[in-house]
Amino acid sequence: MVQDNFQFYKPCKLLQPYVRYYWVFKSNQSLNTLTFPVGCPQIIFHKQVPLYIPELNTTQYKLTISGQVNFSSHLYADGNVEMIVIVFYPHTMRLFTSIPTSLFYNKEVAGYSIENKELKELYTRISDSEDDALCISYIEKWLLSQIADSSYETMYGTKRIDAVMREILIHHRTSVTELSSIACLSKKQFERSFNSLVGVNPKEYIRIVRFQKALAYMQNVSEKEINLAQIAYASGYADQSHFIREFKKFCGYTPMSLLKVASPYSDLFTNPV
């Protein structure tokens, strides 16, 4: 996506452990954007025309919950796009939905379907307001109310995964056995908890992180400076061939061919606020 089209907002202090940021996008122009697996689930509020995703043969709902994905996709709109998005940390959305994040895997789910009355009311308030800052304040009030109602089990499980996520984001190739040890859980318990909170199994998520890390390296150097072997090593791939193969699975292009159609941008390793 073109970053200049976005307005970003930082969450309040109480929500910063759970919400990465909010963003607002408005456009009267036709939209045709290639997107990649980000690694973070989102809740999307469309105030105008929702986006069409041909890979899923679906149009997003006015209120959409978007889970983890493992494929690239296009976003289309004919114009009149106005959307506000909550971007969660990889493992925190369940605190606010009370539903296993795994149920949103590779899906665009209607927010109305999760039987959260307050979320439906939130969408109504947002759709009736033209003040973006006020909409963000409505969102934060809802988020704070939901986290106050979160079960001890979910909150405790989320805290267990905090250290695991830090390990994955730093090292990119830690084994599932090592990660389960960090979480102080058996391997089976850890995989079940991770899938419920993050939305994919640990191995699949590590693949997404490696891909995003490679994008981050490519984002910060010129095309002439790109060294695929160095990026492969720094991103946690076994070798350059492994890197190119995995990269193409996630975005449909090899690293060098991607540069001809889009500018690399890592959502996961970029903090816009």
Side-chain angles (χ1 to χ4, degrees):
M1 291 186 180
V2 181
Q3 191 173 2
D4 292 343
N5 290 335
F6 293 86
Q7 178 68 48
F8 295 94
Y9 294 84
K10 185 177 181 178
C12 69
K13 188 173 182 179
L14 289 174
L15 289 170
Q16 286 175 17
Y18 315 107
V19 177
R20 291 186 63 205
Y21 54 85
Y22 315 101
W23 55 266
V24 177
F25 177 75
K26 300 177 183 180
S27 176
N28 291 322
Q29 306 298 316
S30 295
L31 179 71
N32 179 359
T33 299
L34 177 64
T35 66
F36 311 125
V38 173
C40 296
Q42 305 172 42
I43 295 180
I44 303 166
F45 304 87
H46 284 288
K47 300 175 72 173
Q48 297 289 338
V49 178
L51 305 179
Y52 174 66
I53 305 172
E55 288 78 6
L56 294 175
N57 192 27
T58 188
T59 298
Q60 289 182 331
Y61 302 91
K62 287 281 191 174
L63 172 57
T64 293
I65 300 176
S66 184
Q68 300 282 2
V69 299
N70 67 352
F71 61 92
S72 61
S73 61
H74 291 80
L75 303 177
Y76 286 98
D78 291 332
N80 297 318
V81 176
E82 184 174 354
M83 54 196 293
I84 300 177
V85 180
I86 309 170
V87 181
F88 296 96
Y89 282 99
H91 60 302
T92 58
M93 188 171 74
R94 185 172 180 180
L95 289 169
F96 306 96
T97 63
S98 301
I99 295 173
T101 308
S102 56
L103 296 180
F104 303 109
Y105 179 54
N106 282 345
K107 294 178 181 177
E108 304 289 316
V109 177
Y112 300 103
S113 67
I114 69 169
E115 299 302 323
N116 186 310
K117 180 182 177 182
E118 291 79 10
L119 180 59
K120 298 173 187 177
E121 292 173 349
L122 172 61
Y123 175 76
T124 299
R125 287 195 293 272
I126 287 174
S127 62
D128 289 342
S129 176
E130 297 182 1
D131 185 327
D132 294 336
L134 182 59
C135 290
I136 298 299
S137 71
Y138 290 152
I139 289 171
E140 295 214 311
K141 184 177 180 180
W142 174 76
L143 290 169
L144 289 168
S145 70
Q146 296 302 296
I147 202 167
D149 292 338
S150 294
S151 69
Y152 172 80
E153 180 183 3
T154 302
M155 182 65 75
Y156 186 61
T158 302
K159 291 186 180 298
R160 278 183 181 271
I161 302 300
D162 280 342
V164 171
M165 296 309 304
R166 287 194 294 270
E167 174 69 19
I168 292 173
L169 292 174
I170 292 171
H171 294 114
H172 324 315
R173 58 190 306 172
T174 308
S175 71
V176 175
T177 299
E178 291 174 293
L179 294 175
S180 63
S181 179
I182 291 171
C184 299
L185 294 169
S186 70
K187 186 178 178 182
K188 186 174 182 180
Q189 287 175 319
F190 168 68
E191 290 178 324
R192 183 168 58 247
S193 178
F194 190 97
N195 195 41
S196 175
L197 292 169
V198 179
V200 292
N201 66 59
K203 288 184 178 180
E204 183 76 356
Y205 191 73
I206 290 171
R207 292 178 63 220
I208 294 172
V209 171
R210 287 176 187 157
F211 168 72
Q212 280 285 326
K213 191 63 177 179
L215 284 176
Y217 281 114
M218 294 173 64
Q219 172 184 338
N220 293 309
V221 298
S222 68
E223 182 174 351
K224 292 181 180 180
E225 296 173 314
I226 288 179
N227 183 310
L228 296 182
Q230 289 181 354
I231 294 174
Y233 175 78
S235 303
Y237 292 97
D239 51 43
Q240 183 173 324
S241 296
H242 180 216
F243 165 44
I244 294 172
R245 185 169 61 253
E246 285 283 290
F247 194 94
K248 189 173 183 179
K249 284 181 181 178
F250 279 120
C251 78
Y253 296 90
T254 65
M256 299 310 295
S257 63
L258 175 65
L259 298 174
K260 296 178 173 58
V261 297
S263 297
Y265 179 81
S266 171
D267 293 88
L268 187 61
F269 288 97
T270 301
N271 183 1
V273 293

